[in-house]
Amino acid sequence: MFLYPWYCGTKMLGMFCARAFSLAGCRTATRARSLHVFPGMTVAQIDEEVAKLLELKVKLGGDEGKHQFVLKTAKGTRDYNPKQMAIREKVFNTIISCFKRHGAETIDTPVFELKETLTGKYGEDSKLIYDLKDQGGELLSLRYDLTVPFARYLAMNKITNIKRYHIAKVYRRDNPAMTRGRYREFYQCDFDIAGQYDAMIPDAECLRIVHEILSELDLGDFRIKVNDRRILDGMFAVCGVPDDKFRTICSTVDKLDKMPWEEVKKEMVNEKGLSEEAADQIGEYVSMQGGKDLAERLLQDQKMSQSKQACAGLSDIKLLFSYLELFKVTDKVVFDLSLARGLDYYTGIIYEAVLTQAGVALVCTDAQNGAEESVSVGSVAGGGRYDGLVGMFDPKGRKVPCVGVSIGIERIFSIMEQKAEASAEKVRTTEVQIMVASAQKNLLEERLKLVSELWNAGIKAELMYKKNPKLLSQLQHCEETGIPLVAILGEQELKDGVVKLRVVATREEADISRADLIDEIRRRTSEV
């Protein structure tokens, strides 16, 4: 039919629809005019075309056929309710307090960077970077972590010395495992020390920070595994790994926390083209764990002692453990040769914190059959030294030594949320200190005056948004939300210039003069 070529043009289709619908609506009265507008067509043909257009209009989502939205969050993301946000805020406060205790200042960077800024910094994980559509001459990508933007920030601003923390969202086009705290959009909490300092002093402080945070959050027993990229590279060299395969073999070794050695070896040999002999030699080393004594033993090892790189790394591991002994954290730190961390920018010490207590495994429910299984949450912190990253952005290649740690906050949240669900303890979602209530009718104005006085004094207070709420309803609201105090107004209290102050938990009441009320609230809430 002659009408179909018009379908590809929405505007033309709309114009035709309007004219055709108009004509169809009055065709019995204006048949002659219809035939004049569409010469060569009968009224029956016009009716047929109008019917087709009406059907198309429904398919295109007209008024009679509105599009039904699927109400869900995007894959790998989630919403957080007030209870979950209260838990998150508590965790953030613990972490920020620790960072500040160690003298860090904070910065912020854009959520997206030039694509070339991020390209080539993450090894095999670069495929997980979210690229954005060109919106005006710049190729952009969502930040994958906070470390590369930090290095770009240092180079761009010619900063050679800073201790900073940064808490912000990052994005990874990963296969999400949300029950394990693994998302496509998630927060990272980074602490980094940039500058030229004596060996292992800043590195030891980063490990001390991880120890403090995990201990204070009370997540259960944990271990902090440490290794050194130079030890890994030296090990690969003496085991016969070709230079061009160092990074890809390192990425495979990094999977040892998720896969048994047999599967890792299979990937090295069958997929990465490594000889079985070299893989078996690597297998002997990556099974080793210990402390300063292991570093000393490897320095005497016939093969490892042949690598200057490995010896430099082992000497630094020995020095690191001597500082960790002074920090009193060696009970949680282990020198583990299987630790690799796949990111390409690491140049020296690397570390990762894992929870070891069986009780912290998350219980996940299968959405299809409702079955529950216990799964490990994996690492909850990681980091290392990246002395060459800033130089990659500096026009003159000037290096700024850096070391840092990132807290795996989403996995920690998953554990904390599960613990809160299992506990009978209520999680407060507000910080309101007192409810302004009335015992009788027609006291809205007096309640508004009092709550305003409390707000002016910095007291966290609220009232019910009804003119004449029942006293029982006001008290029940306090019990449900955890508000500790109630200031009750009545006609007698107003005459006497007092407020009846009620402790919700004990139901104890006392008359407090209006002049002393604010001080009394502060005293009582400081004791809670």
Side-chain angles (χ1 to χ4, degrees):
M1 296 295 291
F2 75 95
L3 294 175
Y4 291 132
W6 288 11
Y7 288 178
C8 61
T10 307
K11 187 173 180 181
M12 294 296 291
L13 176 61
M15 291 169 60
F16 182 81
C17 285
R19 294 179 71 187
F21 297 156
S22 176
L23 290 168
C26 59
R27 59 177 173 265
T28 55
T30 59
R31 182 171 296 171
R33 186 163 42 152
S34 301
L35 295 172
H36 174 71
V37 174
F38 300 106
M41 290 185 68
T42 66
V43 172
Q45 287 174 316
I46 292 175
D47 288 345
E48 183 182 352
E49 294 303 324
V50 168
K52 289 178 180 177
L53 289 166
L54 286 170
E55 184 180 351
L56 179 62
K57 183 181 180 184
V58 171
K59 288 180 180 178
L60 293 175
D63 293 338
E64 295 81 15
K66 290 184 178 179
H67 174 65
Q68 297 297 313
F69 288 100
V70 178
L71 291 175
K72 64 184 287 291
T73 59
K75 185 178 180 181
T77 65
R78 63 178 288 198
D79 293 323
Y80 295 91
N81 62 40
K83 183 177 177 181
Q84 291 166 331
M85 287 303 296
I87 295 170
R88 290 169 75 89
E89 191 172 57
K90 181 181 178 182
V91 174
F92 277 137
N93 288 340
T94 298
I95 293 171
I96 292 171
S97 175
C98 179
F99 289 164
K100 289 184 174 180
R101 184 162 63 242
H102 286 264
E105 50 196 345
T106 190
I107 67 165
D108 196 12
T109 61
V111 73
F112 47 79
E113 296 275 349
L114 294 177
K115 184 178 179 179
E116 63 184 21
T117 299
L118 305 182
T119 301
K121 312 300 188 302
Y122 303 106
E124 293 184 2
D125 286 344
S126 290
K127 63 182 181 291
L128 304 180
I129 295 172
Y130 269 109
D131 292 331
L132 302 178
K133 187 177 179 181
D134 181 6
Q135 295 287 350
E138 289 186 332
L139 294 178
L140 306 172
S141 299
L142 292 177
R143 61 187 173 203
Y144 178 89
D145 67 2
L146 301 179
T147 306
V148 171
F150 175 55
R152 189 267 308 154
Y153 171 85
L154 295 181
M156 197 171 97
N157 294 283
K158 296 181 174 58
I159 296 171
T160 58
N161 161 294
I162 189 174
K163 186 189 290 186
R164 82 87 169 87
Y165 74 89
H166 188 186
I167 297 178
K169 286 184 176 181
V170 298
Y171 300 85
R172 298 185 183 178
R173 196 166 47 85
D174 203 350
N175 188 28
M178 296 175 67
T179 51
R180 306 181 193 196
R182 185 173 177 179
Y183 303 90
R184 288 182 165 181
E185 176 194 61
F186 57 95
Y187 274 98
Q188 280 192 339
C189 301
D190 280 20
F191 173 96
D192 292 86
I193 301 171
Q196 190 73 49
Y197 302 107
D198 288 339
M200 295 296 105
I201 301 174
D203 311 65
E205 184 171 10
C206 287
L207 293 172
R208 166 75 193 207
I209 285 169
V210 175
H211 188 283
E212 286 182 22
I213 289 171
L214 296 183
S215 298
E216 193 169 344
L217 291 175
D218 193 24
L219 301 172
D221 195 22
F222 62 91
R223 288 290 178 274
I224 304 172
K225 299 187 288 186
V226 301
N227 199 1
D228 194 295
R229 262 296 169 82
R230 294 166 297 174
I231 297 173
L232 281 168
D233 288 349
M235 177 182 71
F236 294 149
V238 300
C239 290
V241 178
D243 291 356
D244 61 349
K245 291 186 182 292
F246 276 17
R247 292 284 77 84
T248 186
I249 294 300
C250 189
S251 294
T252 303
V253 170
D254 192 39
K255 298 176 183 177
L256 274 169
D257 62 335
K258 307 177 188 72
M259 296 162 47
W261 166 249
E262 290 74 20
E263 289 184 34
V264 170
K265 178 184 174 181
K266 187 177 179 181
E267 182 176 314
M268 285 181 180
V269 175
N270 296 347
E271 296 180 27
K272 304 294 177 70
L274 192 65
S275 69
E276 281 209 30
E277 183 184 357
D280 287 336
Q281 289 184 52
I282 291 171
E284 291 179 18
Y285 284 115
V286 297
S287 64
M288 297 180 179
Q289 292 185 356
K292 187 193 291 188
D293 58 333
L294 176 58
E296 291 171 343
R297 195 164 74 245
L298 287 171
L299 280 168
Q300 305 303 318
D301 183 84
Q302 187 175 3
K303 288 182 180 177
M304 292 290 271
S305 61
Q306 296 173 11
S307 169
K308 289 184 179 180
Q309 263 193 315
C311 289
L314 290 165
S315 296
D316 275 351
I317 288 287
K318 276 184 60 181
L319 183 60
L320 175 70
F321 269 87
S322 67
Y323 293 147
L324 295 178
E325 287 171 4
L326 297 172
F327 282 155
K328 301 187 185 304
V329 297
T330 49
D331 60 317
K332 300 293 187 184
V333 183
V334 59
F335 175 28
D336 186 338
L337 269 76
S338 71
L339 179 64
R341 296 194 62 81
L343 299 178
D344 272 8
Y345 52 64
Y346 288 124
T347 58
I349 182 105
I350 51 176
Y351 35 84
E352 187 171 87
V354 294
L355 301 179
T356 59
Q357 187 173 313
V360 301
L362 296 178
V363 176
C364 305
T365 304
D366 189 313
Q368 293 184 346
N369 57 31
E372 292 187 344
E373 62 168 334
S374 183
V375 296
S376 171
V377 296
S379 66
V380 291
R385 178 160 287 280
Y386 51 101
D387 289 349
L389 190 56
V390 178
M392 295 174 69
F393 297 110
D394 191 280
K396 296 182 179 179
R398 288 170 295 203
K399 293 185 178 181
V400 177
C402 296
V403 64
V405 63
S406 181
I407 307 298
I409 198 72
E410 301 298 341
R411 288 174 175 173
I412 290 174
F413 288 149
S414 297
I415 296 165
M416 299 287 280
E417 285 172 18
Q418 183 168 298
K419 288 177 71 175
E421 287 296 325
S423 170
E425 184 182 349
K426 285 187 177 181
V427 177
R428 284 203 66 189
T429 57
T430 75
E431 296 182 4
V432 175
Q433 298 165 292
I434 189 165
M435 159 77 78
V436 176
S438 57
Q440 296 155 334
K441 292 183 177 182
N442 303 319
L443 293 177
L444 173 61
E445 291 184 5
E446 295 299 332
R447 284 192 293 135
L448 292 174
K449 286 178 186 176
L450 179 54
V451 79
S452 182
E453 289 175 19
L454 297 178
W455 290 337
N456 289 340
I459 301 293
K460 297 166 185 172
E462 69 174 6
L463 76 167
M464 295 194 79
Y465 302 136
K466 287 188 174 182
K467 287 186 176 179
N468 297 305
K470 293 180 180 178
L471 180 59
L472 181 60
S473 298
Q474 297 169 89
L475 297 177
Q476 283 178 338
H477 174 73
C478 293
E479 289 182 357
E480 290 167 3
T481 58
I483 299 173
L485 299 173
V486 188
I488 303 173
L489 292 174
E491 291 179 0
Q492 189 61 48
E493 283 79 14
L494 291 171
K495 287 179 183 177
D496 296 342
V498 299
V499 171
K500 192 175 294 297
L501 193 63
R502 179 184 175 102
V503 179
V504 176
T506 63
R507 302 186 180 182
E508 170 197 350
E509 294 182 347
D511 288 340
I512 308 296
S513 71
R514 292 287 286 262
D516 298 332
L517 179 62
I518 289 169
D519 287 339
E520 184 65 18
I521 293 170
R522 286 174 177 157
R523 184 184 68 80
R524 288 177 180 260
T525 52
S526 67
E527 296 172 356
V528 176

